[in-house]
Amino acid sequence: MATRTSSRNRRKAAPAVGDRDPDLLRRIHRFMVLTRAVEDRMVAMYKGGDLLGSLYTGHWHEAISVGAASALRPDDYLAPIHRDLGAHLWRGMEPWQVMASFMGKATSPTGGRDGTLHYGRLDLNIYNLPSHIPANFPVATGMAFAAKYRGEDRVCLAFCGDGSTSRADFHEALTLASVQKLPNVFFVENNQYAYSTPLRLTSASESFAAKAAAYGMPGVKVDGTDALAVHDATAEAVARARAGEGPSLIEGVTMRMHGHAEHDPADYVLKELYEEYAKKDPVELFENVLLEAGVLDDAAAKQVREDARQYAIAARRKALADPMPDPADIEDGVYAD
């Protein structure tokens, strides 16, 4: 559920679960479960030495990545970050391709030119994520500007973390998008730590959503473990952008339940925070919502989890068998033709 709305954007009351499209609800659940299964498998792969470098995951970000992506059309643009595997999967990227990226395989989206998470699929309208977040925000404003310039009603949804909001490119992107009334939706994934720096040392604002007022756009803060709250807030912002009314800012509050990456033990995180959010697993919470509403039953939920587990196992098997890049092709793709 939404925890608070800004004074600039009084949101409509959310429809009851029983009044929503059950196929959409089941699809959101399926991709949240799949996201968790794939990332759990990749954690095992990292610990088993299958991956070339470290691994960045989005445990407890599933409601944000899937819930937000589910509010877009396939032809809308997406500029995700390293916590948003669910958004990639929702768009159609295969789990084995993500695993192949972390293994530097020739079948990865970068053809093995990168061994970590800098993957995207322009054919799926997914921009390759950069290391320095929110460097994807200025690109997102460019994609939105291009859509507006061409007279298209496409929207660009871009994600960043809470620490990213302290950077200049966050300010520049939101300023430009607001002045130009671009069809952007900016989503701040507030997981309470900018790597090892706690929230109290990165922002003195009451919330990140409150910063929207400075840019003249609506801002809304939602529970980032609540898939429906995320979906509803994003859908409202997307509708506003598509109607030509300009950008919006959404803050989703969750907790990063693994380290910044798997090499990071995150022993700087307060034990109380882990204990609090251990009770707020977004995948379990959403599954319980659907069970209580009769959209799922226990047998169906169990089957979804088993299908996801087997899918992740098969993805690992394929990624392991895929070839490494041919050294003879090393200069391919360096320059545009």
Side-chain angles (χ1 to χ4, degrees), residues 18 21 125 198 215 224 264 280:
D21 178 356
N125 297 310
Y215 300 101
D264 170 23
K280 299 179 67 176

Side-chain angles (χ1 to χ4, degrees), residues 8-73:
R8 293 182 56 82
N9 186 29
R10 291 295 174 196
R11 300 180 55 225
K12 296 177 292 187
V17 177
D19 295 333
R20 297 170 183 260
D21 178 356
D23 290 337
L24 176 62
L25 297 177
R26 284 190 283 265
R27 186 163 188 247
I28 292 173
H29 171 255
R30 189 168 71 252
F31 276 90
M32 290 176 66
V33 172
L34 178 61
T35 301
R36 178 67 60 80
V38 171
E39 292 201 321
D40 283 348
R41 184 62 48 185
M42 292 181 70
V43 170
M45 293 169 70
Y46 170 78
K47 293 179 178 177
D50 288 341
L51 309 184
L52 294 179
S54 196
L55 172 66
Y56 302 78
T57 64
H59 289 80
W60 267 243
H61 284 249
E62 297 90 347
I64 292 175
S65 60
V66 178
S70 66
L72 295 177
R73 294 190 323 220

Side-chain angles (χ1 to χ4, degrees), residues 36 39 55-62 64 81-84 161-163 189-199 202 224-225 252-278 280 282:
R36 178 67 60 80
E39 292 201 321
L55 172 66
Y56 302 78
T57 64
H59 289 80
W60 267 243
H61 284 249
E62 297 90 347
I64 292 175
I81 58 171
H82 52 298
R83 308 295 180 203
D84 301 321
D162 43 273
E189 302 187 47
N190 177 4
N191 64 18
Q192 318 203 34
Y193 278 84
Y195 203 135
S196 57
T197 307
L199 204 56
T202 59
T225 67
V253 183
T254 184
M255 176 64 196
R256 193 191 70 206
M257 295 299 278
H258 284 210
H260 177 68
E262 291 305 312
H263 62 261
D264 170 23
D267 47 9
Y268 45 81
V269 175
L270 296 174
K271 180 183 176 184
E272 293 78 10
L273 265 178
Y274 278 138
E275 292 175 346
E276 175 188 349
Y277 274 87
K280 299 179 67 176

